[in-house]
Amino acid sequence: MSAIDDHKDGLAAEFVLGTLDAVGRANARMMMAIDPAFAARIAQWERHLGELHALVDPVDPSPHNWEWIKARIAAVRPTPQMWMPTLNEASAASAQPRKPPESEVAAALLALVLHRLLHLLEGAHLDLAHALARDAEFGRQFLERDRIVREPARLEDARARAR
Amino acid sequence: MLASTELVWLLAATAKGDQDAFELLYLATRGILYGIAMRILRQPALAEEVMQEAYVEIWRQAGGFSPRMGDPMTWMVAILRSAAFDFRLKRPETAHDQGGPSEVTFPAAEQLADPAMPEARRHVLTRLSHVDEEARRAVLLAYANGWSREQLASHLGQPVDVVVEALRDGIMGIRECLES
């Protein structure tokens, strides 16, 4: 067992399960704020217990929900904090053909590095962007292959099915 | 349901403020999030309120997601559940059970062996399949319904400390998969 004891770990798991009362939840929140090992444990439990969502039957909400969410997000900017794969991850991702699920993630990692690069170029705030300009065309080719975001028919199709 | 990789793409585009991508993300995941919200809050109006809050939070935090942190769906589920629990504590009068399903069906051995099942899910479910029936039921009921220890005890007709013990057995049974 790592740096966290059984009692704390049980608390972390129960926080994620939702079985704690108001006091227990507040205590866990406080521990998350001061103890990184505890916060990491909560994140791990969220990852593992989160898989149980597959046992709960999905229920489609009525369409007006999207209108409300759309109105709300219009006033909110996403936090401009983009994750960035480490060099190790990026090179491992591009170098090793592995079994399908992992290589899909690898492709996503590589493509997201390029996304990030374009993001940088579009911002044009950094001199670095000019140095990287030669790679822009490469990045754009990747973006064109981003069928999810760039293919309007796909969104129309999903909307139609939702109605 | 979109593949995990596609959800990662949509979250990355969402982080850049792409509303079309966010709409696709919403359309692909709303059934799962609303299903969970309905289980925990039991009333459509409350479940909708919490789900809407969760999506605004997902929009806001999309840039903080990284595939290193795990599966995009479980990341979104965690945001929804956290919003649902906080909502219920803020508005305790909403915690009354309005009926609806509470049990979940645990997958049979052949479903656990299905190659289409994501590895992380198989791992947790396999560990759970090895713990005592009572401990497994406590964990599943707690997860699916977001019940407190007291609600679990009343549903199972057992003292709270027995339920807490069962939960701990279930948790410790799953725990080994966190070590790897």
Side-chain angles (χ1 to χ4, degrees):
Chain A
M1 191 68 223
S2 53
I4 193 154
D5 65 39
D6 284 1
H7 175 74
K8 269 181 161 176
D9 200 33
L11 192 64
E14 281 206 69
F15 179 82
V16 174
L17 277 177
T19 45
L20 300 179
D21 60 11
V23 175
R25 259 188 106 66
N27 280 343
R29 277 260 157 75
M30 202 161 66
M31 281 168 66
M32 277 167 86
I34 58 176
D35 181 354
F38 184 74
R41 210 59 182 186
I42 296 240
Q44 270 179 317
W45 278 113
E46 278 174 344
R47 271 204 298 282
H48 287 85
L49 292 173
E51 292 292 342
L52 299 179
H53 76 74
L55 305 183
V56 177
D57 292 331
V59 182
D60 274 346
S62 66
H64 72 254
N65 283 283
W66 172 247
E67 296 308 318
W68 192 92
I69 293 167
K70 201 164 97 178
R72 278 285 303 278
I73 62 166
V76 182
R77 275 193 69 79
T79 311
Q81 152 205 25
M82 284 283 281
W83 66 276
M84 183 82 169
T86 63
L87 269 183
N88 275 347
E89 282 170 331
S91 59
S94 53
Q96 301 166 12
R98 274 176 270 165
K99 54 185 178 180
E102 285 180 358
S103 66
E104 272 176 32
V105 172
L109 277 172
L110 180 64
L112 279 163
V113 175
L114 291 159
H115 253 294
R116 169 72 182 201
L117 183 67
L118 271 189
H119 188 70
L120 212 62
L121 288 166
E122 282 162 8
H125 294 306
L126 298 169
D127 290 342
L128 180 63
H130 299 289
L132 293 174
R134 267 185 308 130
D135 293 329
E137 191 45 42
F138 184 47
R140 283 198 196 285
Q141 285 170 13
F142 257 84
L143 265 190
E144 276 162 23
R145 286 158 59 177
D146 180 356
R147 62 201 161 84
I148 297 166
V149 183
R150 305 290 149 187
E151 208 177 90
R154 179 105 190 265
L155 180 56
E156 285 312 316
D157 187 43
R159 278 180 183 146
R161 269 184 287 119
R163 264 164 217 136
Chain B
M1 186 55 209
L2 297 179
S4 180
T5 323
E6 290 181 289
L7 297 181
V8 173
W9 275 106
L10 292 175
L11 273 173
T14 298
K16 292 176 71 176
D18 184 333
Q19 293 198 14
D20 287 347
F22 186 61
E23 187 175 353
L24 271 177
L25 183 72
Y26 170 78
L27 291 171
T29 58
R30 66 195 170 132
I32 293 174
L33 292 199
Y34 186 64
I36 297 170
M38 265 304 279
R39 274 295 188 104
I40 298 174
L41 295 148
R42 303 270 159 177
Q43 300 172 52
L46 305 181
E48 285 184 355
E49 192 176 333
V50 162
M51 180 194 69
Q52 290 166 0
E53 283 302 326
Y55 275 107
V56 172
E57 224 22 65
I58 290 165
W59 165 263
R60 206 193 305 270
Q61 295 181 30
F65 172 78
S66 146
R68 261 178 276 162
M69 293 158 47
D71 181 72
M73 197 63 237
T74 60
W75 181 77
M76 289 190 277
V77 164
I79 290 177
L80 183 277
R81 290 175 62 83
S82 189
F85 298 145
D86 291 343
F87 180 91
R88 208 179 43 186
L89 288 177
K90 252 188 329 204
R91 310 247 304 261
E93 77 279 6
T94 62
H96 303 300
D97 198 333
Q98 305 282 314
S102 56
E103 301 290 333
V104 289
T105 313
F106 194 76
E110 63 265 27
Q111 289 170 290
L112 287 180
D114 183 352
M117 182 180 284
E119 211 44 52
R121 186 171 309 156
R122 190 195 331 275
H123 218 82
V124 172
L125 292 175
T126 305
R127 301 239 37 119
L128 256 181
S129 73
H130 292 145
V131 305
D132 282 353
E133 167 69 34
E134 245 172 63
R136 177 167 61 243
R137 184 148 179 251
V139 168
L140 291 177
L141 283 172
Y143 180 86
N145 305 294
W147 280 341
S148 65
R149 293 166 173 180
E150 290 72 22
Q151 284 173 303
L152 271 174
S154 116
H155 182 87
L156 296 169
Q158 283 172 335
V160 173
D161 52 353
V162 172
V163 168
V164 170
E165 196 60 34
L167 280 174
R168 290 295 156 116
D169 285 350
I171 287 164
M172 294 306 146
I174 301 171
R175 190 169 79 174
E176 275 170 56
C177 70
L178 272 81
E179 304 298 302
S180 48

